[in-house]
Amino acid sequence: MDPIRIDVGPPGSDRYYPLALASGLAGALPQVLDDHGIGPRRLVISTPTVWRFVSPALPREVTATDPVLLPDGERSKTLASVARAYDALIRLGVDRGTTVVAIGGGVLGDTAGFAAATLLRGMPLVHVPTTLLAQVDSSVGGKVGVNHALGKNLIGAFHAPRLVVIDPGLLATLPRREFRSGLYEVVKYAAIASADLFGTLEHRLGDIFARDPAVLVPMIAACCRIKAGVVTRDEREQGERRILNFGHTAGHALEAITRYRRFLHGEAVGYGMLVASHVAVARRLFDEGAHDGLARLIAKMGPLPPVGDLSVADALEAMRRDKKVVHGRLHFVLPTRPGEVAIANDVGEDELAAALRKMGLR
Ligand SMILES: NC(=O)c1ccc[n+]([C@@H]2O[C@H](COP(=O)([O-])OP(=O)(O)OC[C@H]3O[C@@H](n4cnc5c(N)ncnc54)[C@H](O)[C@@H]3O)[C@@H](O)[C@H]2O)c1
Ligand SMILES: [Zn+2]
């Protein structure tokens, strides 16, 4: 079966690239790269864990040399890892015609992508995302970068890949908690843009958790189409792209006040969406029935880490420091109807405090 093709970026511009999506696609990776005009000099960057799980699904010809393996985990998303990538790539004799093939989750894609964006003033990049979060989110949109000791994602660039190859079959080995973390982002897409996708999540959760490609392929395609549409219309995050931050303002605050140790990113977003939903209900923007639907779906996906020991004041303080604050105003994405959101510029701390208390913070 032909892969699904999704276009990202303005057609004809140098920021344009396609996503190719099909179950089993990674098994034909060299051919897929050839078909998309990717040059023959290719270098794989991955992590030891990902490479162990994923390389059996890849044909040997994917890489002529051993892959460059960078350390795994959010704590390794640093300039030190980027420097390791530079060292390895330079030693292997890369030039501006060599394509970096980044095979891994969001951490690896962001790190290897930043190395590709900056080495030799930019090398061609292909993403092969191997987590659900990377397949629906981080590999789409052209953002790459690493963390600084003082904050997440502070160092970065826009570097459009030449191609993104998405194989939901690679998710078979993903730990269940990581899979769920990505699913909260899928809930986000459903909540901001697709009542249909919301229905799929409600009715097919068993098949989704069983990682049935018949459900995963259209589900991931729906998410990628939503993100591709939004980032194409708003490449530099001036306006519409902000809707992708639904659930992220409170979510980031929860991650920050627990020092990124308690929640996986998606889990914090799960809470964050509920906080936004409480605010919207209190403003009579969103009806209680719709809120209950969202809360039920999130609850059905499994238990979230506890928040009862966290303080409302600390969460508010973290939100004030969020980099989405522009000119002192917090842009807050609020649900209005299933599959629709609006951006509010005037959400006050009292409203946020009330919503956080409803979630059980003290
Ligand atoms: N660039 C963007 O636009 C963007 C958007 C959203 C998130 N992000 C970034 O993405 C990162 C999170 O990415 P993530 O959730 O993919 O986490 P991750 O990259 O840390 O991967 C999670 C874990 O899964 C393992 N893993 C990956 N693929 C596997 C597979 N197929 N089988 C078994 N194990 C596998 C990894 O080794 C890792 O331990 C964050 O750093 C975040 O900032 C970037
Ligand atoms: Zn996110």
Side-chain angles (χ1 to χ4, degrees):
M1 209 183 73
D2 279 345
I4 296 173
R5 182 192 169 107
I6 298 169
D7 298 323
V8 192
S13 80
D14 60 353
R15 281 116 52 222
Y16 165 83
Y17 55 95
L19 317 180
L21 190 165
S23 186
L25 201 54
L29 188 56
Q31 187 64 49
V32 176
L33 299 180
D34 291 346
D35 291 349
H36 286 84
I38 305 299
R41 288 199 308 283
R42 301 160 185 169
L43 257 168
V44 170
I45 305 186
S46 190
T47 78
T49 313
V50 172
W51 194 245
R52 181 157 47 86
F53 282 118
V54 161
S55 58
L58 303 174
R60 218 173 270 273
E61 321 81 82
V62 164
T63 166
T65 62
D66 286 338
V68 174
L69 297 180
L70 299 181
D72 225 311
E74 189 67 41
R75 257 162 247 283
S76 305
K77 198 174 124 172
T78 58
L79 282 177
S81 292
V82 174
R84 281 179 63 163
Y86 292 151
D87 291 349
L89 292 170
I90 292 167
R91 277 206 202 95
L92 288 163
V94 297
D95 59 37
R96 289 176 77 177
T98 311
T99 301
V100 169
V101 181
I103 305 181
V107 166
L108 185 277
D110 281 10
T111 311
F114 185 72
T118 44
L119 188 61
L120 308 174
R121 289 194 196 85
M123 299 172 63
L125 171 68
V126 171
H127 281 299
V128 183
T130 64
T131 63
L132 180 56
L133 182 127
Q135 294 193 348
V136 299
D137 191 354
S138 63
S139 68
V140 186
K143 284 194 200 174
V144 293
V146 295
N147 302 328
H148 184 272
L150 296 180
K152 266 198 65 161
N153 294 329
L154 293 182
I155 303 159
F158 283 93
H159 186 57
R162 294 290 164 90
L163 171 70
V164 182
V165 180
I166 302 176
D167 178 357
L170 296 180
L171 304 179
T173 55
L174 193 64
R176 185 178 168 95
R177 191 174 168 206
E178 293 289 349
F179 184 78
R180 274 177 48 210
S181 177
L183 262 191
Y184 296 103
E185 296 281 359
V186 178
V187 174
K188 175 194 81 177
Y189 287 113
I192 64 175
S194 173
D196 269 4
L197 180 57
F198 202 90
T200 302
L201 287 164
E202 281 181 313
H203 302 301
R204 306 289 306 270
L205 207 54
D207 299 323
I208 292 169
F209 275 118
R211 319 216 185 156
D212 175 353
V215 200
L216 289 192
V217 168
M219 180 188 89
I220 292 168
C223 297
C224 290
R225 285 198 184 93
I226 294 167
K227 180 152 184 190
V230 172
V231 302
T232 300
R233 291 188 293 271
D234 179 16
E235 287 186 272
R236 295 269 160 171
E237 201 157 335
Q238 303 296 303
E240 187 187 356
R241 197 163 175 158
R242 288 188 186 127
I243 70 173
L244 298 172
N245 293 329
F246 177 53
H248 280 60
T249 308
H252 284 151
L254 292 175
E255 290 184 276
I257 65 178
T258 53
R259 296 173 194 277
Y260 299 92
R261 288 198 183 118
R262 185 178 303 183
F263 303 98
L264 293 182
H265 172 69
E267 293 171 337
V269 171
Y271 274 118
M273 291 188 286
L274 293 173
V275 170
S277 179
H278 278 303
V279 170
V281 169
R283 287 185 165 212
R284 301 187 188 289
L285 276 173
F286 196 44
D287 73 55
E288 300 223 17
H291 170 87
D292 292 345
L294 180 64
R296 250 198 322 274
L297 176 59
I298 289 173
K300 217 166 122 186
M301 285 169 46
L304 289 168
V307 290
D309 58 325
L310 302 178
S311 111
V312 169
D314 289 350
L316 289 176
E317 171 64 28
M319 278 189 248
R320 264 181 239 126
R321 280 195 308 261
D322 194 296
K323 65 182 188 304
K324 263 110 208 156
V325 177
V326 182
H327 305 307
R329 288 204 300 199
L330 199 58
H331 293 277
F332 215 90
V333 187
L334 298 176
T336 49
R337 297 213 306 234
E340 269 182 46
V341 288
I343 293 176
N345 294 326
D346 61 345
V347 174
E349 296 201 348
D350 45 340
E351 289 172 272
L352 289 172
L356 288 165
R357 265 185 226 106
K358 284 216 162 89
M359 302 304 316
L361 280 80
R362 57 175 170 78

